[in-house]
Amino acid sequence: MSSRIAYPFLTLPDGAVGFRGWMIGDPGEPLQPANDIFDGWDYERDLEVHTECRFNFERVADALGVTASDAVLRVTLKAGTGAGTLPRRLDRLATAVVSLGSPHAVLSGRILSGRASSRLRLECAVTLD
């Protein structure tokens, strides 16, 4: 999972987050691992995206300087579309709250065809709640 960080913010080390990758496909159909190109897609088709993350709260707590039981994270799935590298629009598709007692986030959302463009940028943002 790649990350871009605007320091001086606290960050989570790679070992604190288990990212399962992106799944994509037609709504209601089995999803496939995302590739650079989604073959056969056209502007008349909605898309469904899905990902899962699991957090190691001992490592999260150590990185953030809090106790594991006090660490509560908000995980947000966002999708951006547009012709270039910067999306012309960014939609929040799903949000989950994770903690020591519930360290697994499952995020899914639908990208409506009328809001999609030639490129799709998926983002999973993690913030301290």
Side-chain angles (χ1 to χ4, degrees):
M1 181 172 179
S2 67
S3 62
R4 289 188 287 180
I5 303 162
Y7 289 104
F9 298 107
L10 297 174
T11 60
L12 297 178
D14 288 338
V17 183
F19 178 69
R20 300 271 316 233
W22 299 109
M23 301 294 285
I24 191 167
D26 293 311
E29 298 294 324
L31 302 180
Q32 303 297 320
N35 294 313
D36 289 342
I37 297 175
F38 186 61
D39 291 327
W41 180 79
D42 62 52
Y43 292 99
E44 296 291 321
R45 291 169 54 196
D46 293 348
L47 291 173
E48 185 173 339
V49 293
H50 174 88
T51 193
E52 297 181 32
C53 300
R54 182 170 294 279
F55 294 85
N56 178 325
F57 272 88
E58 295 303 321
R59 289 189 176 178
V60 167
D62 186 51
L64 300 179
V66 298
T67 64
S69 60
D70 288 339
V72 178
L73 304 175
R74 181 173 301 273
V75 187
T76 305
L77 169 61
K78 299 176 186 177
T81 62
T85 56
L86 289 175
R88 66 177 160 79
R89 70 173 300 127
L90 189 62
D91 294 317
R92 186 178 322 149
L93 302 180
T95 301
V97 175
V98 294
S99 63
L100 181 62
S102 181
H104 187 225
V106 177
L107 302 163
S108 296
R110 184 176 286 197
I111 301 162
L112 301 176
S113 63
R115 293 184 174 203
S117 188
S118 58
R119 289 187 182 220
L120 175 63
R121 176 184 168 159
L122 297 174
E123 179 179 312
C124 190
V126 179
T127 56
L128 188 60
D129 195 38

